[in-house]
Amino acid sequence: MIYEVFARKDHHQELKHVGSVDAADDELAKVYAWALYDEESWVEMCVVPRSAIIPVTEHGRVPVWGN
Amino acid sequence: MVEIASGESLNAACRAALKNLLSAIADTKLLLGYHYGEWTFGTPVLEASIANCSLSQTELGHVRLLHGILKSHFDEDPERLLESRPPREMAGVEFLDRELPDWAAVVAATLVVDGALTLALHSMRESAFLPVRNVVDKMLEEERYHAHHGRGWFRALAGRGEAPRSTLKERVEAALRSVEIWWGPEGEPEDALLVSEGIKSRSNSELASQLRRDLAELAAACGVELELEGTAQFDGWDPRTRRRGDSSVNEEILYHMRGSKNQIFKLT
């Protein structure tokens, strides 16, 4: 299962997308995110299953107001 | 609460006991670091390789911290600990004496051996001995991810069918038998002294029970039946090596672990 990884460097910044990991479950996703994206001293990091993300726009298409 | 700031302030028996315990934790962490490093390649998925690489780094970092304490407070020479001790003097968990034969063995080492060390460290969070208390939380914070990795892979392998599940069961039980010996017999005098002096909050027997409970809970949730009851024999058990008999770490592993083969390149 693919998980998207989000993190922030300090409490004043917003969470930003830093990458993704492929893991069998939430617990392994946490380890892999910690191990793969350790280039910064993050104050917060979290993972979200890609399947839990609700798309607002169709992939690759600019949304048209009123659709 | 009594606070002890230096090794010299400990009474002689307590100092010897704590030196043995810290050396044994450092030796096991050194071997864990080696095995995790070896298993940077050959894992079932690339993410696990990268995780093992990180786990190896943190174990070696912990060895460095513990060797620093052993040097400053127990007159121990880290160079000797790393490079020149005979294998028979090392006090690592026996499960790590040989190459880990498969991924299930790595998972067992992470879950059981690494988990046992984490429990031992946790018992020193409020230690009267400040040099240890001051570094324990940092180590425990990093160990959190080691625990996730062990538990996550146990669950994953337990759900993969009969062959991986039975190998996993075999490796975890072997690791646990090895750890039971490393904890030592119930009421072991050095351990009892460390508890009574406030260096540790719980005895090794209590920590062993905690480990068995944690494993039982995880195994039950995954539908794995583990044989968890201890059958360890302790005749001739030595608190310095935390084992009985003449077993010791494989010489080839020591050779690869040590820098003595690169002595001529050493920067002094």
Side-chain angles (χ1 to χ4, degrees), chain B residues 23-41:
Chain B
S23 299
I25 294 173
D27 284 349
T28 306
K29 281 184 168 289
L30 186 63
L31 283 165
L32 276 173
Y34 167 81
H35 288 294
Y36 289 146
E38 282 289 289
W39 278 88
T40 290
F41 294 95

Side-chain angles (χ1 to χ4, degrees), chain B residues 193-210:
Chain B
L193 181 63
L194 291 174
V195 173
S196 68
E197 296 285 326
I199 307 296
K200 292 172 73 204
S201 61
R202 293 199 288 170
S203 71
N204 284 346
S205 298
E206 290 172 296
L207 300 178
S209 299
Q210 175 75 57

